Amino acid sequence: MTLQFSLGSIAPESAETAVAVVGVYENGLLTSAAARVDTAAHGAIKRLVESGDVTGKTGSVTTLLHPTGITAQRVLIVGLGPQKTFDAARFQRVCLEAGRALGRLPVTEAVSWLSEIDVPGRDAAWRVRVAALATDHAAYRYTATFKPREKAAAPELASIVFVAPGEASAGLDQARAIAEGVRFARELGNLPPNICNPAYIADQARAFADANEAVTFEALDRDAMEAEGFGSLLAVGRGSANPSQLVILQYRGASESERPYAFVGKGITFDTGGVSLKPGPGMEEMKFDMCGAAGVLGAFVAAVRMKLPLNLVCVVPAVENMPDGNSYRPGDVLTSLSGITIEVLNTDAEGRLILCDALTYTGKRFEPHTIIDAATLTGACVVALGKHASGLMTKDEELSAELLAAGESTLDRAWRLPLWDDYQSQLDSGFADVANIGGKYAGAITAGCFLARFTEGQRWAHLDIAGTAWDEGRKGMATGRPVPLLAQWLLDRVAG
């Protein structure tokens, strides 16, 4: 179910809603909306503050049920933390916690006054967009469940009104589009690998193109790629019964003469590691190894929904990495589409092998203005940055600044890692032009250095989202990152 957003200018004490969402800072300081509710409800919120039931601690939530004096059935009181240090990141967090709390209540609609809270350096459109996306993220439910459904399903949040001035409507429009892209990415990432294989990704892309006049779809199958010379990509998929595909979506929002922007996403629909087999515990999470593909497809969906006046190409190498009698091996030498030969030292370093051919193809065929790839590429990036920031690598200072700014704006943040030529010697091979791994140290960086060899002359950046694309654990789900970052980057290109 898609959450519906709208704007309103409703008085908190007279809103006829199942839930009124207001905020309280630490030390009992009420926001203006909370103060109006408190006055109308004869001091009900202040009494909760005095009793210690409402602390104002960041992300804390207290529900006031059927308060007298106001028309809302419930008041959700969200802790905002200290007012002096309130910032964008905390605003996102409290909106997310409010969304989670709403999801636990038996309600289908709500009105939020959190979007009125002042956030230093941010305008009303930004506040509404962040609040809407955080609420939608919390409201997401994995719908393609294979468990028996409950006979009487509990009510789910279906709509929310954000109180904000009319000039915030642009932010809400963007939120609707980005939320659709995030959900598209999350659903693909969460599906089991026996469903979401290369053919399924192609089918979903085709269906989206069929439903949107400005979008065209094509896919190169194994025979077509073999004829083109995709020697590196095809080697990775040789051991799988699910044939590899190169999925291509094109959106034309500007004149044909304008060079497109291009997204390329790693689409390993399941990664066993191949002959270099991964350990069994945790291998089930390798269904998320296609979250780079899901992320760029989600960003593409958002761009189309926003009807951005630009041209955009989305290329997804969709491959399954399986061990088999026909699998590629450590010691094999592959000839990539670019003609560069690659010595395989580890078949579990397969993402870069499919991306290098996809990047070569994208650059030669479309001559894009900029190429950005997204990939769950290395565990080393997770070790370096954890689950909070995606790794950004590029040799283009301007492009780095653009992407970092987009990440800060959306709070889908990235952190730049060096892409110095000093690291290239780690990829030296005695049997080919380059080896596919660089040894024990700087694994995320040497993976980026590998890809850099296939993007010479291109304005290109690499996003390693291995830490940010999904939440760990048996119930961890895809996050939809980096859809917000990429969507904002495109919005900035239009504005700039």
Side-chain angles (χ1 to χ4, degrees):
M1 180 174 62
T2 302
L3 183 62
Q4 301 298 313
F5 310 129
S6 59
L7 286 184
S9 56
I10 313 165
E13 66 273 19
S14 58
E16 295 185 3
T17 179
V19 192
V21 184
V22 299
V24 174
Y25 294 102
E26 282 186 1
N27 301 321
L29 179 63
L30 308 188
T31 58
S32 60
R36 291 180 65 169
V37 169
D38 182 67
T39 300
H42 313 294
I45 295 179
K46 285 185 177 178
R47 285 195 297 274
L48 288 172
V49 171
E50 291 166 0
S51 67
D53 291 288
V54 171
T55 64
K57 183 179 178 181
T58 302
S60 62
V61 177
T62 304
T63 303
L64 185 59
L65 187 62
H66 296 301
T68 57
I70 68 170
T71 52
Q73 297 170 27
R74 302 168 184 79
V75 177
L76 195 70
I77 306 165
V78 186
L80 306 177
Q83 185 186 30
K84 287 184 178 179
T85 56
F86 193 77
D87 60 7
R90 189 149 12 118
F91 178 76
Q92 184 190 50
R93 179 182 168 188
V94 298
C95 290
L96 188 61
E97 293 301 333
R100 288 172 177 155
L102 288 171
R104 293 191 291 267
L105 294 174
V107 300
T108 59
E109 54 86 23
V111 181
S112 175
W113 281 265
L114 297 181
S115 44
E116 285 191 322
I117 298 170
D118 181 59
V119 182
R122 312 289 184 168
D123 61 13
W126 182 92
R127 297 195 305 268
V128 166
R129 191 176 80 172
V130 169
L133 288 173
T135 307
D136 189 76
H137 195 277
Y140 170 82
R141 298 291 181 272
Y142 175 52
T143 57
T145 180
F146 295 90
K147 298 190 295 184
R149 292 186 179 276
E150 297 176 9
K151 290 183 180 179
E156 292 183 11
L157 187 67
S159 65
I160 184 166
V161 177
F162 295 101
V163 177
E167 58 263 29
S169 60
L172 201 64
D173 290 340
Q174 292 169 6
R176 291 189 186 100
I178 295 170
E180 183 177 343
V182 168
R183 282 176 175 259
F184 189 95
R186 296 185 79 184
E187 201 72 3
L188 278 179
N190 289 331
L191 283 167
N194 58 318
I195 301 296
C196 187
N197 55 33
Y200 184 87
I201 289 179
D203 288 343
Q204 295 304 297
R206 182 187 293 107
F208 183 76
D210 288 346
N212 292 276
E213 191 175 334
V215 178
T216 59
F217 163 87
E218 62 183 299
L220 303 186
D221 61 15
R222 191 157 49 193
D223 290 341
M225 284 190 282
E226 193 167 343
E228 291 270 3
F230 283 75
S232 184
L233 185 156
L234 289 174
V236 176
R238 273 206 324 251
S240 175
N242 291 303
S244 302
Q245 302 225 18
L246 189 76
V247 177
I248 304 159
L249 287 173
Q250 294 184 67
Y251 162 68
R252 195 173 303 284
S255 67
E256 289 191 26
S257 61
E258 288 195 25
R259 295 167 68 191
Y261 298 95
F263 293 154
V264 178
K266 174 187 171 186
I268 298 290
T269 59
F270 192 76
D271 183 21
T272 64
V275 173
S276 306
L277 193 66
K278 291 178 180 289
M283 193 193 287
E284 71 280 355
E285 293 189 8
M286 288 300 97
K287 72 175 188 176
F288 294 118
D289 211 18
M290 42 63 67
C291 281
V296 297
L297 286 168
F300 185 91
V301 167
V304 173
R305 288 289 180 258
M306 289 187 283
K307 298 181 179 178
L308 297 183
L310 49 75
N311 296 329
L312 181 62
V313 174
C314 186
V315 178
V316 170
V319 182
E320 191 175 51
N321 186 21
M322 301 288 283
D324 178 77
N326 196 37
S327 294
Y328 77 126
R329 297 152 291 241
D332 282 359
V333 173
L334 314 176
T335 302
S336 68
L337 181 62
S338 70
I340 295 173
T341 58
I342 305 163
E343 181 188 9
V344 178
L345 297 181
N346 190 315
T347 64
D348 194 24
E350 83 300 326
R352 65 202 71 181
L353 296 178
I354 68 168
L355 284 172
C356 70
D357 277 357
L359 288 167
T360 299
Y361 180 82
T362 303
K364 286 185 176 179
R365 176 177 170 184
F366 298 107
E367 298 181 349
H369 178 280
T370 307
I371 303 177
I372 300 171
D373 78 73
T376 53
L377 207 61
T378 65
C381 193
V382 190
V383 173
L385 299 176
K387 304 290 289 182
H388 300 289
S390 300
L392 167 65
M393 281 160 266
T394 180
K395 293 184 178 181
D396 190 300
E397 297 295 326
E398 184 182 39
L399 180 56
S400 173
E402 291 171 3
L403 289 166
L404 291 173
E408 288 296 328
S409 177
T410 57
L411 304 173
D412 179 9
R413 293 180 289 190
W415 189 259
R416 191 178 183 186
L417 297 173
L419 203 59
W420 302 331
D421 289 339
D422 309 53
Y423 293 98
Q424 287 287 0
S425 60
Q426 291 180 233
L427 296 167
D428 286 349
S429 166
F431 301 93
D433 294 322
V434 63
N436 79 322
I437 58 172
K440 181 178 179 181
Y441 301 110
I445 295 169
T446 54
C449 286
F450 178 92
L451 296 177
R453 297 191 180 211
F454 300 86
T455 53
E456 288 291 337
Q458 298 284 340
R459 188 175 191 258
W460 160 79
H462 163 58
L463 288 170
D464 191 329
I465 60 170
T468 58
W470 78 92
D471 298 318
E472 291 180 327
R474 293 187 65 183
K475 294 186 178 181
M477 291 199 177
T479 62
R481 295 176 69 179
V483 172
L485 184 158
L486 293 176
Q488 181 63 50
W489 180 76
L490 290 174
L491 281 166
D492 292 342
R493 307 287 66 73
V494 171

